[in-house]
Amino acid sequence: MSTALIFAIFAVALIAAAVFFLFFYRTWRREWELKEPFPKIWRRHLKSQVPLYRKLPGHLKQALEQRVQLFLAEKEFYGCDGFEVDDTVKLTIAGHACLLILARSYSDFDEVRSILVYPDAYHVRNIESDGMVVSESNEIRAGEASSRGQVVLAWKECEQAAGNLHSSHNVILHEFAHQLDYLDGTADGAPPLSGEQARHWQHTMTEAYQDLRHSLGHHHKPWLDPYGATEPAEFFAVLTEAFFQQPDHLKKEQPEVYKALLGYYRLDPMNLPEASVEP
């Protein structure tokens, strides 16, 4: 048998193994995981730490619990700067993150691998070079997302989100919105869409983004957190916060934006009993 033929057979075997894992083993593993009853103590954590959970109708409560169950089984949590990650931390983060895929497929979070949690806002050292000039700066961050499947969060900010359903800021929703944005390979403010939905998104979001920047440029009070004007990726993340935290305000100020987000997230936070669930 020639070396080329052996290599070809080996390559086919590797591809077959990858397909088996992706489409059979992972599905079987998740079905097996969901056969375990959802712990009552976890349900109590969700009730106390995820305000929107308390408002969900029965079928959506169950859907969120299933997504949280898979999230905790598959994602690794790491405490940073001596922070201890306990069940309260895990359930708070998983509960808020899974709201984004409550009516979408859980597979949207397949690429999320790890969550790093700091006790409070943390410092990040940045080094930039421009030709022969090298500059160094320190940033204070409350969270960040990576295309490599990593999410970093400051627990103090997460606690604030857990304590107020109608707050204008929710760092967990914000950073996991970035992860959805990364699904097409880059964070550009447009998650994977197609056809008329993509065209509506592009037109609506571009117009709304320019409107926000125009308002800020003329020193008018903006309809959204000014941070959303930083770049399109941040615009999408900040809109996601508003969609789940202040849907009535967002719908009043930007009905077409609200419609676009409703189409993407496949649920209406102002009319939750009508939402259906994708496996």
Side-chain angles (χ1 to χ4, degrees):
M1 186 179 295
S2 69
T3 302
L5 181 58
I6 293 174
F7 180 80
I9 293 173
F10 181 69
V12 170
L14 282 178
I15 293 171
V19 169
F20 174 79
F21 174 78
L22 289 174
F23 296 102
F24 295 99
Y25 175 76
R26 186 158 59 187
T27 299
W28 171 83
R29 178 76 181 181
R30 287 174 177 174
E31 290 175 351
W32 177 83
E33 187 69 41
L34 292 177
K35 288 180 181 179
E36 293 293 316
F38 194 79
K40 292 182 179 179
I41 185 64
W42 287 10
R43 192 168 288 126
R44 288 198 290 271
H45 281 305
L46 289 181
K47 286 180 179 178
S48 65
Q49 298 297 115
V50 186
L52 190 58
Y53 172 82
R54 300 192 292 267
K55 297 179 63 177
L56 296 177
H59 73 292
L60 291 184
K61 274 192 171 76
Q62 182 181 25
L64 184 64
E65 290 172 1
Q66 290 179 337
R67 282 152 174 73
V68 166
Q69 196 165 351
L70 294 177
F71 192 99
L72 296 187
E74 296 179 359
K75 318 303 180 189
E76 295 290 338
F77 285 79
Y78 301 95
C80 303
D81 283 354
F83 183 72
E84 181 179 348
V85 175
D86 58 17
D87 280 353
T88 299
V89 175
K90 291 180 180 180
L91 268 296
T92 301
I93 294 171
H96 285 268
C98 289
L99 288 173
L100 303 187
I101 56 169
L102 181 55
R104 295 184 56 83
S105 171
Y106 176 78
S107 63
D108 282 354
F109 278 168
D110 279 353
E111 298 304 313
V112 177
R113 296 180 176 84
S114 59
I115 299 93
L116 281 64
V117 189
Y118 284 85
D120 204 340
Y122 54 95
H123 292 265
V124 176
R125 181 187 177 197
N126 284 327
I127 298 177
E128 298 180 358
S129 61
D130 182 9
M132 298 295 291
V133 179
V134 178
S135 59
E136 181 178 328
S137 63
N138 282 302
E139 291 183 13
I140 298 177
R141 296 181 183 175
E144 58 189 297
S146 163
S147 59
R148 299 183 299 276
Q150 185 181 84
V151 176
V152 186
L153 297 166
W155 174 242
K156 188 174 181 179
E157 296 288 332
C158 297
E159 281 189 306
Q160 291 177 1
N164 187 354
L165 172 60
H166 303 294
S167 169
S168 61
H169 185 52
N170 184 312
V171 68
I172 307 172
L173 297 181
H174 185 104
E175 301 306 337
F176 278 91
H178 283 316
Q179 288 296 331
L180 296 176
D181 198 357
Y182 276 126
L183 284 174
D184 58 3
T186 181
D188 56 4
L193 300 166
S194 61
E196 181 56 35
Q197 188 181 26
R199 287 188 288 273
H200 178 257
W201 183 282
Q202 179 67 26
H203 172 75
T204 300
M205 295 304 183
T206 299
E207 187 176 279
Y209 180 66
Q210 294 301 331
D211 174 55
L212 178 63
R213 290 175 64 87
H214 182 270
S215 295
L216 289 169
H218 288 76
H219 307 289
H220 297 155
K221 182 178 180 181
W223 54 273
L224 189 70
D225 182 347
Y227 189 60
T230 307
E231 58 182 79
E234 297 302 342
F235 187 59
F236 171 55
V238 170
L239 281 177
T240 294
E241 294 179 77
F243 183 71
F244 284 94
Q245 300 280 118
Q246 299 176 317
D248 50 347
H249 174 72
L250 180 59
K251 187 174 184 179
K252 178 182 177 181
E253 295 292 334
Q254 291 284 331
E256 284 302 307
V257 168
Y258 191 86
K259 181 180 177 181
L261 289 165
L262 189 154
Y264 177 69
Y265 285 114
R266 302 173 188 172
L267 57 78
D268 186 348
M270 298 176 65
N271 191 20
L272 289 168
E274 297 299 317
S276 58
V277 175
E278 182 175 329

